[in-house]
Amino acid sequence: MTLQAITRAALAVVAFATLAILSPQTQAQSLVNQKANQPELQSDLQQEYMRQIAQLVEYVGVDYSEAVANGEVVNAGEYAEMEEFSSIILRNINTLSTDNPKLQTLVQPAQQLRELVMNKADLAEVRGATSQLRAQILQQLPKVELPKALLPMAQTKEIYQAQCSACHGQQGQGDGPAGQNLEPAPTNFTDLERAENRSLLGLYDAITKGIDDTAMMAFTDLTEQERWSLAFYVGSLAFQHGTVVAPQASMDVIDLQQMVNTSPAQLRAELPSSQANLVNILRANPQQLFQAEISPFAVAKARLQAAEEAYKAGDLKRANHLAVSAYLDGFELMENGLSAYDAAQTKAIEAQMMDLRRIIATPNQQAQVSAAISDTLAALERAQATMNEQQLSNTALATASFVILLREGLEALLVVLALITVLRRTERNDAVKYVHSGWLAALVLGGLTWWAAQSLISISGASREIMEGVAAGIAAVVLVYVGIWMHSKTNAQAWQQYIKQNLNAHLAAGTLWGIALLSFIAVYREVFETVLFYQSLLTQAQSAQHTSVWGGFIAAAVVLALITWVILRFSVKLPIAKFFAYTTYLLLILAFVLAGKAIIAFQEAGWLSATPFPVPLNIDWLGMAATWESLATQLLVLIVFSVFFLKQRQATK
């Protein structure tokens, strides 16, 4: 905040502190005098004063039911308050409109509200009048400045318990010990009828400025984000009937400003009947309103629900596509964050979603499909609650960041280093530049692919997995071939003979560009996924925590650099036979891992079936998954290597 803004805000506070203790007529005259003396404050002061009037208008609409019923006064104290507030609203609007002609349109609605209250009109008429008047007032004001994000739910609940629960009760039911003898009684935030007519802006203003003639004080010691988080939290309590997720297109129907300015009853009346329930969903789950893009959890749940509908309609192909998308475009993007809390929970959801894809491919299994989707949705709810209840710690963010880069970068690094060391040991340092050109091109194209996916086109999770599966498959085949070739040269005499007869001929331009292509493939398949995971991780972190994410990134980069130095430094000192032997085993391991990952990627994309293996052989760092297809492919890699090893041994005897 600039010094000028701070000064203006301070002057505004002083002005309204004075207004609060003056009579309504004197308040308005004081406002006019201040505006004349300090023109630069005119707009700010008027806006603040109109916000106070809007708060009073909403208060009348909410509490009128406590004062009048069926044209009769049921609570004399409440009715006296309604008379007083409606009179103050009209008087102050009249005063303000004399100075600002634009506000004269508010006079007639204010007069109508005053007459309805004095005539003890029906509740529906009074609430209609307050909604209309309040909407007209807000139209005269600029958009409310909102925080970019709410605090984590656990932190908001802590603030509520510390600041509010003594009066409003631990569950927000207005039954706190300090509120037992207060008049009026503290608000019951779980009262649906009252909450239907209370806007989030009204709740925020009450928290920020307090409510005159009540025990509700102004919480000026809280930050703006804390006050908004409290407003959204207490505004959600009456609508907590299960954490249903809004559809992906919800933000096209209701935007954040609408949700803040308008009461649920009024907002619902403005929506098509088919979308009216969206108001309850968003009030119950306000975090969704602050997401520029719908959360991966919401995507996963929406896709699963759509998959069930498609299956019921007999469209198995679409149902399978949606089930695949629920994992790839939804849950997979949150795996790293969830694993930081509960790795077992992450694995369980992965297994559930894979099993669902198997069931959904079979017709006439409606009961099983519905049960599987219901169980998966419940598991996703628990996982989302786990992540929403608390903010990722700095340590967890740094660890997740470290693991992402180390895991994704190590495979590509080992392939590239194997190519470089082979070329150096064969005294073809001139060919190393082809390897460098391959991985550098992969980094550039990977970054461009990610940018295009964010800005120009939409790359689905299935397309990403297919791309990764093809790249992993090609790399695995090439590594099997190179590994077999290298093993045949572990004999020093055979190597010297090969050098003399074949090396220069085989490392011609075509082969060198093939080496560059292998370097490119090995790196490119990792880059896009790595960037995607980091993007997801950053969305789970507060701005102040980004240093932890980048700290983990730098630490992993340092480890990868150290591995590079060790391999390049010590591989050149190995005898040629041992060098080729060790490199062969390294390539065998990499081929084994990549073959498994290729099959897993195709299974996740829905290109291959996934038959569960009876033993849970899920070992990520070896690319192993508990499916017959992936394990059989990896076994085939071992068989191919073994056959050629045995042939080579027999040939040397």
Side-chain angles (χ1 to χ4, degrees):
M1 183 180 289
T2 64
L3 180 60
Q4 182 183 12
I6 293 172
T7 304
R8 292 172 66 182
L11 288 170
V13 170
V14 172
F16 281 106
T18 304
L19 289 173
I21 60 176
L22 298 176
S23 66
Q25 296 91 338
T26 310
Q27 287 179 9
Q29 186 60 49
S30 174
L31 178 64
V32 171
N33 292 339
Q34 287 208 40
K35 288 187 292 183
N37 294 333
Q38 299 183 20
E40 77 276 8
L41 292 181
Q42 177 175 345
S43 176
D44 288 347
L45 284 172
Q46 190 176 81
Q47 289 171 18
E48 287 294 320
Y49 202 47
M50 288 180 67
R51 279 274 291 275
Q52 288 184 339
I53 295 173
Q55 186 181 0
L56 274 182
V57 172
E58 182 174 84
Y59 194 81
V60 171
V62 172
D63 275 15
Y64 186 77
S65 61
E66 302 292 326
V68 176
N70 299 320
E72 300 291 336
V73 175
V74 295
N75 186 315
E78 288 285 352
Y79 183 67
E81 191 175 61
M82 296 297 101
E83 287 185 305
E84 179 187 4
F85 285 169
S86 60
S87 297
I88 291 174
I89 290 166
L90 176 60
R91 190 161 50 236
N92 290 349
I93 287 177
N94 269 320
T95 303
L96 287 174
S97 65
T98 59
D99 185 67
N100 187 344
K102 291 182 179 181
L103 302 182
Q104 291 177 1
T105 57
L106 302 176
V107 175
Q108 191 276 330
Q111 289 174 336
Q112 181 186 6
L113 175 61
R114 168 66 177 160
E115 291 171 4
L116 289 172
V117 171
M118 296 300 294
N119 293 330
K120 306 178 187 65
D122 290 340
L123 175 63
E125 291 184 87
V126 172
R127 283 185 173 166
T130 57
S131 294
Q132 179 187 10
L133 176 56
R134 186 173 179 277
Q136 289 178 284
I137 292 173
L138 294 179
Q139 286 176 359
Q140 301 282 349
L141 297 172
K143 286 186 176 182
V144 179
E145 291 187 11
L146 298 167
K148 293 183 178 179
L150 299 179
L151 295 172
M153 184 58 71
Q155 189 174 345
T156 302
K157 287 181 178 179
E158 288 176 2
I159 296 172
Y160 174 84
Q161 293 300 328
Q163 304 285 349
C164 313
S165 63
C167 292
H168 294 282
Q170 291 189 353
Q171 305 301 321
Q173 296 175 340
D175 56 355
Q180 296 297 319
N181 299 316
L182 294 179
E183 183 63 37
T187 297
N188 176 4
F189 295 119
T190 65
D191 181 350
L192 183 59
E193 193 273 339
R194 183 184 180 88
E196 283 281 354
N197 297 281
R198 196 71 191 271
S199 70
L200 294 165
L201 178 61
L203 291 169
Y204 170 80
D205 283 341
I207 294 168
T208 302
K209 302 166 188 173
I211 300 176
D212 291 340
D213 300 323
T214 73
M216 180 63 190
M217 57 180 285
F219 287 87
T220 54
D221 56 325
L222 298 179
T223 67
E224 188 172 356
Q225 186 185 33
E226 288 173 336
R227 282 179 269 133
W228 274 117
S229 297
L230 272 178
F232 276 93
Y233 172 65
V234 298
S236 74
L237 295 178
F239 301 91
Q240 294 291 347
H241 305 299
T243 53
V244 181
V245 176
Q248 189 166 5
S250 62
M251 294 303 100
D252 296 331
V253 180
I254 303 175
D255 65 24
L256 183 55
Q257 286 285 337
Q258 280 181 293
M259 201 68 191
V260 167
N261 291 342
T262 313
S263 71
Q266 183 182 355
L267 186 55
R268 194 178 295 108
E270 297 171 358
L271 291 175
S273 58
S274 61
Q275 297 170 329
N277 193 47
L278 186 59
V279 178
N280 290 23
I281 294 173
L282 291 173
R283 278 291 288 256
N285 303 278
Q287 290 87 353
Q288 296 179 70
L289 290 160
F290 288 84
Q291 295 163 348
E293 299 177 359
I294 192 166
S295 77
F297 277 118
V299 170
K301 286 184 271 191
R303 297 286 197 276
L304 288 176
Q305 291 163 348
E308 184 173 11
E309 293 300 317
Y311 190 89
K312 288 179 181 177
D315 191 347
L316 269 64
K317 183 177 180 181
R318 175 165 173 76
N320 183 67
H321 169 75
L322 288 166
V324 169
S325 177
Y327 176 74
L328 297 178
D329 298 311
F331 180 70
E332 187 183 34
L333 302 181
M334 301 301 292
E335 281 185 1
N336 290 294
L338 182 60
S339 292
Y341 292 118
D342 192 338
Q345 190 178 22
T346 304
K347 292 297 182 185
I349 294 175
E350 285 180 349
Q352 280 182 291
M353 299 187 84
M354 181 172 285
D355 189 53
L356 172 63
R357 295 196 295 271
R358 178 182 59 79
I359 299 172
I360 217 166
T362 306
N364 303 319
Q365 301 287 327
Q366 181 62 59
Q368 292 90 328
V369 168
S370 295
I373 288 178
S374 178
D375 290 345
T376 306
L377 287 172
L380 289 171
E381 292 286 1
R382 291 191 296 271
Q384 187 171 15
T386 298
M387 297 189 69
N388 285 345
E389 281 295 317
Q390 53 186 315
Q391 179 180 309
L392 275 171
S393 67
N394 291 334
T395 302
L397 284 168
T399 301
S401 176
F402 178 84
V403 170
I404 288 172
L405 183 59
L406 189 63
R407 182 185 63 199
E408 302 297 333
L410 191 57
E411 294 167 15
L413 175 67
L414 292 177
V415 173
V416 170
L417 289 179
L419 293 173
I420 291 174
T421 53
V422 168
L423 290 172
R424 287 185 173 179
R425 292 307 301 268
T426 56
E427 300 179 3
R428 286 301 304 268
N429 290 324
D430 60 307
V432 172
K433 63 185 178 183
Y434 287 88
V435 179
H436 291 318
S437 66
W439 69 261
L440 285 171
L443 289 179
V444 173
L445 186 60
L448 290 175
T449 304
W450 171 79
W451 171 80
Q454 300 299 309
S455 307
L456 303 178
I457 59 175
S458 176
I459 297 180
S460 69
S463 299
R464 185 182 70 247
E465 292 296 326
I466 291 168
M467 176 196 76
E468 293 175 1
V470 170
I474 293 173
V477 170
V478 173
L479 289 172
V480 168
Y481 172 79
V482 174
I484 291 171
W485 174 83
M486 293 187 70
H487 187 265
S488 68
K489 304 298 179 287
T490 54
N491 181 277
Q493 184 177 356
W495 172 247
Q496 293 298 329
Q497 183 179 359
Y498 178 82
I499 287 286
K500 292 178 180 178
Q501 296 178 357
N502 300 304
L503 184 60
N504 289 332
H506 280 74
L507 289 182
T511 304
L512 292 173
W513 283 114
I515 291 172
L517 179 62
L518 177 57
S519 173
F520 172 84
I521 290 173
V523 176
Y524 180 74
R525 68 172 296 275
E526 308 291 348
V527 171
F528 184 58
E529 188 174 34
T530 300
V531 173
L532 197 67
F533 283 146
Y534 269 99
Q535 183 188 37
S536 176
L537 190 65
L538 286 169
T539 62
Q540 301 169 52
Q542 301 293 318
S543 298
Q545 294 182 301
H546 286 182
T547 54
S548 297
V549 176
W550 297 123
F553 180 93
I554 293 170
V558 170
V559 171
L560 291 174
L562 182 61
I563 293 171
T564 301
W565 178 80
V566 170
I567 291 176
L568 293 177
R569 174 72 180 272
F570 293 101
S571 62
V572 296
K573 296 182 178 181
L574 290 174
I576 194 67
K578 287 186 177 181
F579 168 77
F580 278 127
Y582 294 157
T583 306
T584 297
Y585 297 133
L586 172 62
L587 296 182
L588 167 60
I589 294 171
L590 290 172
F592 180 88
V593 171
L594 291 173
K597 288 197 169 185
I599 300 302
I600 293 169
F602 290 138
Q603 288 175 326
E604 290 179 346
W607 273 30
L608 288 178
S609 61
T611 308
F613 192 73
V615 180
L617 292 175
N618 293 293
I619 307 175
D620 286 343
W621 63 277
L622 284 178
M624 295 176 66
T627 68
W628 280 103
E629 293 83 356
S630 63
L631 294 174
T633 303
Q634 291 182 311
L635 179 61
L636 180 61
V637 171
L638 296 178
I639 290 173
V640 170
F641 264 104
S642 299
V643 168
F644 279 93
F645 287 178
L646 290 173
K647 284 186 176 181
Q648 178 64 26
R649 178 173 295 182
Q650 291 174 356
T652 56
K653 287 183 179 178

